[in-house]
């Protein structure tokens, strides 16, 4: 697949996963009044599933199921690292730089997604 098309698909999936995460963050924080850190943690599994399956089957056009468990494990490791980075950035942006939690989530998600394209392409879906 053309690398530019793959990058565009990656961006679309990233926006879909980020939108899912931000919507859940909004719902849990602004509607249900949970602390934004707890909301971000709870949004994680949903955004993970949206991201993994769309990246695997659409972005990287990997239709195989043989390596699904291995791919999901590596992907999960990367995503867990993302979660730690995301929480740290949220704390920095919200509590120290006094930003809105939704804006902070968008900024954090954008920064993390830049590194993820390379990691997914190189380590998760490398034969796609």
């Amino acid at each position: 697949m053309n690398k530019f098309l793959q990058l565009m698909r990656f961006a679309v999936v990233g926006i879909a996963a980020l939108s899912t995460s931000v919507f859940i963050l909004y719902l849990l924080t602004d509607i249900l009044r949970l602390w934004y850190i707890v909301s971000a943690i709870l949004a994680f599994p949903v955004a993970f599933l949206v991201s993994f399956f769309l990246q695997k089957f659409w972005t990287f056009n990997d239709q195989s199921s043989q390596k699904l468990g291995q791919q999901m494990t590596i992907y999960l490791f990367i995503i867990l690292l993302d979660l730690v980075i995301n929480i740290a950035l949220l704390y920095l942006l919200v509590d120290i730089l006094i930003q809105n939690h939704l804006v902070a989530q968008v900024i954090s998600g954008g920064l993390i997604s830049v590194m993820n394209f390379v990691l997914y392409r190189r380590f998760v879906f490398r034969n796609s």
Side-chain angles (χ1 to χ4, degrees), residues 86-104:
N86 184 59
I87 297 305
L89 284 172
L90 280 177
Y91 176 78
L92 174 70
L93 292 171
V94 173
D95 286 359
I96 296 175
L97 299 177
I98 311 171
Q99 292 291 319
N100 178 279
H101 60 279
L102 297 176
V103 172

Side-chain angles (χ1 to χ4, degrees), residues 1-11 58-59 117:
M1 174 185 297
N2 176 316
K3 286 183 185 179
F4 180 74
L5 177 60
Q6 197 171 52
L7 185 59
M8 291 298 99
R9 287 183 175 192
F10 176 82
W58 192 57
T59 301
F117 180 75

Side-chain angles (χ1 to χ4, degrees), residues 58-78:
W58 192 57
T59 301
F60 295 99
N61 199 26
D62 183 346
Q63 305 303 317
S64 72
S65 59
Q66 294 171 336
K67 298 183 290 179
L68 184 69
Q70 178 186 6
Q71 288 173 325
M72 192 175 269
T73 301
I74 296 167
Y75 197 91
L76 180 61
F77 177 77
I78 293 169

Side-chain angles (χ1 to χ4, degrees), residues 102-122:
L102 297 176
V103 172
Q105 181 63 60
V106 170
I107 292 168
S108 176
L111 293 172
I112 289 168
S113 67
V114 170
M115 81 172 187
N116 283 352
F117 180 75
V118 174
L119 293 175
Y120 296 162
R121 186 173 171 83
R122 181 164 229 185

Side-chain angles (χ1 to χ4, degrees), residues 9-69:
R9 287 183 175 192
F10 176 82
V12 169
V13 171
I15 290 168
L18 180 60
S19 297
T20 301
S21 179
V22 169
F23 174 74
I24 293 170
L25 181 71
Y26 168 76
L27 180 69
L28 296 177
T29 302
D30 293 337
I31 305 299
L32 298 179
R33 300 289 184 210
L34 293 179
W35 184 38
Y36 70 93
I37 297 294
V38 172
S39 299
I41 292 168
L42 293 174
F44 169 78
V46 178
F48 168 78
L49 292 173
V50 168
S51 181
F52 177 78
F53 285 107
L54 286 175
Q55 296 294 10
K56 176 176 177 54
F57 293 111
W58 192 57
T59 301
F60 295 99
N61 199 26
D62 183 346
Q63 305 303 317
S64 72
S65 59
Q66 294 171 336
K67 298 183 290 179
L68 184 69

